[in-house]
Amino acid sequence: MTAAGTPSPDAKPVSVRHQARRAVVQALYQWQATAQDPDDIARQFIQNNDAPRMDKKLFRELFLGTVGEVQSLDESLAPHLSRPMAQVDPVERSILRLAAFELTRRMEIPIGVVLNEAVELAKTFGAEASHKFVNGVLDQLTDQVRPEATIVKAARKPRR
């Protein structure tokens, strides 16, 4: 970004799917902070000026799916947290919930995509080291909910 807030000439274009995930994190944050009706929040984000640059269908599926499964997602994340979910920073909580939804309910999305997107979102919206926290929690969750990832990781480790 330049000082004026416009993308620098060498900046990579952001995919419409990444834009949808960015909006989901923001919508989840808003939902947590305001307890507004999720359908109203979804409508607001879809009508936003930036909406043409995001995959609206993916946004709705991920946002409403995450909100609808929030209790179950929190339960799946809890064993991997060092503190209660209510004490996790709201931005990190939003990112973890979105990624947990994708890991557990959207098996067609590759693990690497989910983890990379979550880390990038944490770097964009979170505190300085939040991406490390998010990555660590999701790495443990991945081992639990997608055992094929554990097999792949074990195969990659060098033998001594």
Side-chain angles (χ1 to χ4, degrees):
M1 287 284 212
T2 65
T6 57
S8 61
D10 58 336
K12 292 189 315 186
V14 177
S15 78
V16 293
R17 294 178 67 80
H18 180 74
Q19 280 298 106
R21 287 183 179 94
R22 285 176 60 115
V24 170
V25 169
Q26 293 170 317
L28 287 170
Y29 183 89
Q30 181 176 331
W31 174 71
Q32 293 171 141
T34 66
Q36 235 180 311
D37 180 68
D39 287 319
D40 291 342
I41 293 172
R43 216 174 356 271
Q44 173 191 345
F45 272 81
I46 288 172
Q47 292 172 354
N48 184 328
N49 292 335
D50 289 338
R53 290 182 249 159
M54 77 171 172
D55 181 332
K56 293 179 187 111
K57 182 179 180 215
L58 180 65
F59 167 81
R60 284 189 64 78
E61 290 171 0
L62 295 180
F63 174 62
L64 295 175
T66 300
V67 169
E69 297 282 334
V70 75
Q71 183 176 347
S72 173
L73 297 171
D74 286 358
E75 288 170 4
S76 69
L77 288 162
H80 312 294
L81 298 172
S82 58
R83 57 193 177 271
M85 182 61 94
Q87 293 177 5
V88 173
D89 175 84
V91 171
E92 293 170 353
R93 192 178 328 138
S94 297
I95 295 166
L96 289 171
R97 286 171 167 169
L98 168 59
F101 179 78
E102 289 189 283
L103 284 171
T104 61
R105 307 304 194 276
R106 299 291 302 266
M107 297 300 189
E108 76 280 6
I109 301 174
I111 295 165
V113 170
V114 175
L115 298 179
N116 289 338
E117 288 282 343
V119 166
E120 288 304 312
L121 290 166
K123 287 179 180 178
T124 300
F125 294 116
E128 187 174 323
S130 69
H131 67 283
K132 294 175 186 176
F133 170 72
V134 165
N135 189 54
V137 171
L138 294 177
D139 192 47
Q140 292 176 50
L141 178 64
T142 300
D143 288 347
Q144 178 188 342
V145 300
R146 293 207 189 172
E148 70 275 15
T150 306
I151 295 166
V152 171
K153 281 197 294 189
R156 286 187 193 157
K157 286 187 179 178
R159 294 185 185 180
R160 293 183 184 208

